Amino acid sequence: MPTTARELTVLDAACCGDGAARPMELAEAERLAGLLKAVADPARLRLLSLVARSADGEACICDLTAPVGLSQPTVSHHMRVLVEAGLLAREQRGRWAYYRLVPGASETVAAAFLDSFRPR
Amino acid sequence: MPTTARELTVLDAACCGDGAARPMELAEAERLAGLLKAVADPARLRLLSLVARSADGEACICDLTAPVGLSQPTVSHHMRVLVEAGLLAREQRGRWAYYRLVPGASETVAAAFLDSFRPR
C-alpha cells in the first residue's frame, strides 16, 4: 500500500501515455512556492516598495510603520519573513534595525516563476 | 476617529519627514498579492508547468491528475484558482475540460512583482 505522495505519484504515473508531460519537481515547486508566499501579502509588498524607494536604498524600521499604517511589531514580523526569504538584508545599528534589498533576489524569484510557465 | 486603513495611513503619515518614501498603493498591493497567492502553492506551480510543457500547449484535466498524484476534485480546485487569476484559459469539450496558458499573463505578474522592488 502506498504511504507517501511520491509513491502515489509513481503508481499513478503508470496510467499515463508515453507522451505525457512531466511537471516541475516537487522539491523545486515547494521551494518556489515558499518564496512566492513570502511576497504574496499586500503589507509585505508595500514594505518592499518602501525599502526600494528609500533615498539611499536603505530604510530604518522606525520609518516603515507610519507609511503603511501598521504597528511596529506587525511590521517587524513582515520584515522577518522577507529577511528569511532572502529578499531583504537586515542590519542592527544601535536601537534600530535597517533594511536593504538583497541585490538580484527579486530577479531570481521572477525568473524561477517565469520558468515554471516555459515549455520544455 | 479614523475608521479605515486609508484614514489611519493619512493620519500617521503626518509623523513622517518630508523625504520619506511612499509605498505602493494599497489597492495595487492587494491586487498583486492576490495574483501571487494564486501561484504560491506547490501543486499549482506543478500544474502550470504541466500545461506549459504539454506537446501542443494544451492539457486535458484527465492528463493532469496522475503526474501530480492528486485527486481530480483537488486538481479541479487548483485549476479553477488559476483560471480565476487569469493565468489559465479553460475550454469544456464534451466530458473533459482543456487548459491553456493565457498568453502574456505570467509576464504581466512577473513585471508587476519586479516593479515593487524598483526605486522611484
Side-chain angles (χ1 to χ4, degrees):
Chain A
M1 184 186 293
T3 53
T4 69
R6 172 168 288 278
E7 285 169 327
L8 278 171
T9 303
V10 169
L11 285 178
D12 284 349
C15 316
C16 298
D18 285 345
R22 292 171 58 87
M24 176 191 292
E25 292 293 330
L26 181 59
E28 167 65 7
E30 285 173 342
R31 198 189 61 83
L32 180 54
L35 286 171
L36 291 170
K37 269 179 194 153
V39 292
D41 179 280
R44 290 201 282 275
L45 285 170
R46 299 187 85 205
L47 288 165
L48 280 171
S49 72
L50 263 180
V51 174
R53 297 171 187 185
S54 294
D56 54 357
E58 184 177 75
C60 173
I61 186 86
C62 57
D63 289 327
L64 293 174
T65 53
V68 295
L70 297 171
S71 70
Q72 191 168 320
T74 300
V75 169
S76 290
H77 160 74
H78 287 310
M79 299 306 272
R80 191 161 49 244
V81 172
L82 293 168
V83 169
E84 284 170 1
L87 294 164
L88 287 181
R90 178 188 189 280
E91 189 184 333
Q92 186 79 31
R93 294 210 293 272
R95 178 178 170 194
W96 302 112
Y98 292 79
Y99 297 89
R100 287 185 169 276
L101 300 184
V102 171
S106 58
E107 289 78 4
T108 300
V109 175
F113 168 70
L114 286 175
D115 196 50
S116 63
F117 288 82
R118 223 154 266 154
R120 290 294 152 99
Chain B
M1 183 188 292
T3 53
T4 69
R6 171 169 289 279
E7 284 169 328
L8 278 171
T9 303
V10 170
L11 285 178
D12 284 349
C15 317
C16 298
D18 285 346
R22 292 170 59 87
M24 176 191 294
E25 291 293 330
L26 181 58
E28 167 65 7
E30 286 174 342
R31 197 189 62 83
L32 179 55
L35 286 171
L36 291 169
K37 269 179 193 154
V39 292
D41 179 281
R44 291 202 282 276
L45 285 169
R46 299 186 86 204
L47 289 165
L48 280 171
S49 72
L50 262 181
V51 174
R53 297 171 187 184
S54 294
D56 53 359
E58 183 178 76
C60 173
I61 186 87
C62 58
D63 289 326
L64 294 173
T65 53
V68 295
L70 298 170
S71 71
Q72 191 169 320
T74 300
V75 170
S76 290
H77 160 74
H78 287 311
M79 298 305 273
R80 191 160 50 242
V81 172
L82 293 168
V83 169
E84 284 170 2
L87 293 164
L88 287 182
R90 179 188 188 279
E91 188 184 334
Q92 186 78 32
R93 293 209 294 271
R95 179 179 170 195
W96 301 113
Y98 291 79
Y99 296 89
R100 287 184 169 278
L101 300 183
V102 171
S106 58
E107 289 79 3
T108 300
V109 175
F113 168 71
L114 286 175
D115 197 50
S116 63
F117 287 83
R118 221 154 269 155
R120 291 292 153 99

